[in-house]
Amino acid sequence: KPFKTVLCYKRLDVAAKLLTETDKSAADIARTVGFHSASHFYRTFSARFGMTPNEYRKTKAEKE
């Protein structure tokens, strides 16, 4: 995989972890992990995990 793709996946993995471990908003997490656009973050996150960041957070919270 190209470096750019690997870096994006790493950022999304960190974002997913932050969604489950903090109460920060998805937009704040997007900025924290290096996305300059919240809408780009939402699209990319949804493509990788099959759900929005907020749905991901709710799903993981229900499993705990």
Side-chain angles (χ1 to χ4, degrees), residues 11 27 30-41:
R11 287 178 174 166
R31 284 189 295 276
T32 299
V33 299
F35 283 87
H36 298 289
S37 164
S39 62
H40 181 247
F41 170 70

Side-chain angles (χ1 to χ4, degrees), residues 41-61:
F41 170 70
Y42 273 81
R43 282 192 311 273
T44 308
F45 190 97
S46 296
R48 172 113 164 101
F49 294 102
M51 62 186 83
T52 68
N54 291 326
E55 290 170 339
Y56 183 88
R57 176 178 271 161
K58 287 178 187 174
T59 301
K60 294 299 178 177

Side-chain angles (χ1 to χ4, degrees), residues 5 17 60 62-63:
T5 302
K17 184 175 180 181
K60 294 299 178 177
E62 289 172 0
K63 289 183 180 180

